[in-house]
Amino acid sequence: MNAQESLDHVTISNDFKNWRARNKGAFLCSLFRMRDHDKETEYQVDFYNRDKDTISSFTIENGQARLALENAQGMKKEDEHIKKLELKEVKIAEE
């Protein structure tokens, strides 16, 4: 599953829809995937809520998108700003 497919998978999930109802102003702020030796993991998709100054994270496990972390605080310094990630403007090397 590539980055766009992972984002789409998250945004159509029930977990995301329920979360979105409580976090209307939140926006995509990061999306990444890690490797564990030669095994690739699915993407983690993060959203920032400027009103609450929190980040929530979604993961995909066994084909199911789920809310992994909700409204985490302390993710940035007080004077820093988190920008919206426009996935269409990002080049991602898929391996």
Side-chain angles (χ1 to χ4, degrees):
M1 192 176 302
N2 68 27
Q4 184 63 57
E5 291 168 338
S6 295
L7 176 59
D8 293 344
H9 196 72
V10 165
T11 58
I12 63 170
S13 72
N14 287 332
D15 270 11
F16 180 82
K17 290 175 184 175
N18 292 331
W19 172 85
R20 174 58 95 191
R22 299 183 307 274
N23 296 275
K24 294 190 187 308
F27 54 83
L28 178 67
C29 66
S30 74
L31 184 140
F32 64 92
R33 163 170 78 182
M34 295 177 36
R35 284 186 170 220
D36 182 14
H37 300 282
D38 287 335
K39 180 183 172 190
E40 289 184 1
T41 60
E42 296 293 339
Y43 280 93
Q44 177 174 313
V45 183
D46 301 323
F47 294 86
Y48 177 65
N49 185 323
R50 184 171 284 134
D51 295 335
K52 296 178 182 179
D53 195 24
T54 60
I55 290 182
S56 296
S57 301
F58 291 82
T59 58
I60 301 170
E61 295 176 10
N62 300 320
Q64 295 291 331
R66 69 175 191 86
L67 180 60
L69 178 68
E70 184 169 11
N71 296 329
Q73 295 181 325
M75 304 302 276
K76 66 175 188 60
K77 293 179 182 176
E78 187 132 345
D79 60 340
E80 292 179 332
H81 300 283
I82 294 178
K83 295 181 182 179
K84 182 176 182 178
L85 176 63
E86 297 290 349
L87 196 55
K88 294 174 189 155
E89 296 176 12
V90 177
K91 288 186 180 184
I92 300 174
E94 300 284 346
E95 294 183 3

